[in-house]
Amino acid sequence: MSTIAPDYVKTDMGSIQIAPEVIEIIAGLATVEVQGVAGMSGGLAGGIAELLGRKNLSKGVKVEVGQREAAIDVSIIIEYGNRIPEVASDIQQNVKQAIESMTGLNVVEVNVHIHDVHFKLADKPVEEETAAAHRVK
């Protein structure tokens, strides 16, 4: 759903254009910086989610860019045990601040979509693994 960014800044020397992909990357970085975010999600139809999705930071981010404004949608995986409203609010603030400070665009919306919960695997004690391995011969 990315749209081509029109000339939104014209100077005496020409115009400045920022590709929507740049805004997607900024939003992705600002999202994974938030504590409680396990990674980005491509959405239900977007395929497999990437935990700590630093390889492709625009995955799970959709932008709509106008002349002076931008609307952002981010799809995330949240770490189990975090308060979803707090994490989502932190994402909204961080994404808005990052995009506005780096691009000069006014961010009118940051929609956060939680697509999954990541559970940290508990470390099993070695004794349990050893006992289970010897139970059946």
Side-chain angles (χ1 to χ4, degrees):
M1 288 200 184
S2 298
T3 58
I4 296 175
D7 296 344
Y8 79 93
V9 176
K10 293 190 182 213
T11 67
D12 292 340
M13 298 191 63
S15 62
I16 300 170
Q17 290 182 321
I18 300 172
E21 293 80 14
V22 171
I23 296 167
E24 289 173 354
I25 291 169
I26 293 168
L29 273 169
T31 299
V32 297
E33 287 176 349
V34 173
Q35 186 165 354
V37 175
M40 303 300 289
S41 173
L44 297 175
I48 299 172
E50 290 182 25
L51 294 179
L52 297 175
R54 295 184 188 272
K55 290 180 184 175
N56 184 0
L57 290 168
S58 62
K59 180 175 184 163
V61 180
K62 294 180 182 167
V63 301
E64 290 183 35
V65 183
Q67 294 251 336
R68 290 178 174 69
E69 298 178 336
I72 316 298
D73 285 272
V74 295
S75 299
I76 68 156
I77 303 163
I78 193 161
E79 291 176 354
Y80 178 79
N82 288 279
R83 288 187 39 85
I84 293 172
E86 288 176 11
V87 173
S89 177
D90 290 348
I91 291 168
Q92 290 173 321
Q93 292 171 11
N94 209 36
V95 168
K96 179 178 174 63
Q97 190 275 331
I99 291 172
E100 288 183 349
S101 68
M102 291 184 73
T103 67
L105 290 169
N106 180 35
V107 176
V108 294
E109 284 183 5
V110 178
N111 301 305
V112 179
H113 308 276
I114 291 80
H115 285 267
D116 203 354
V117 176
H118 179 252
F119 298 92
K120 292 182 182 177
L121 298 176
D123 293 330
K124 289 184 180 179
V126 176
E127 301 85 41
E128 286 182 27
E129 290 177 12
T130 306
H134 294 294
R135 201 171 100 192
V136 179
K137 294 184 183 191

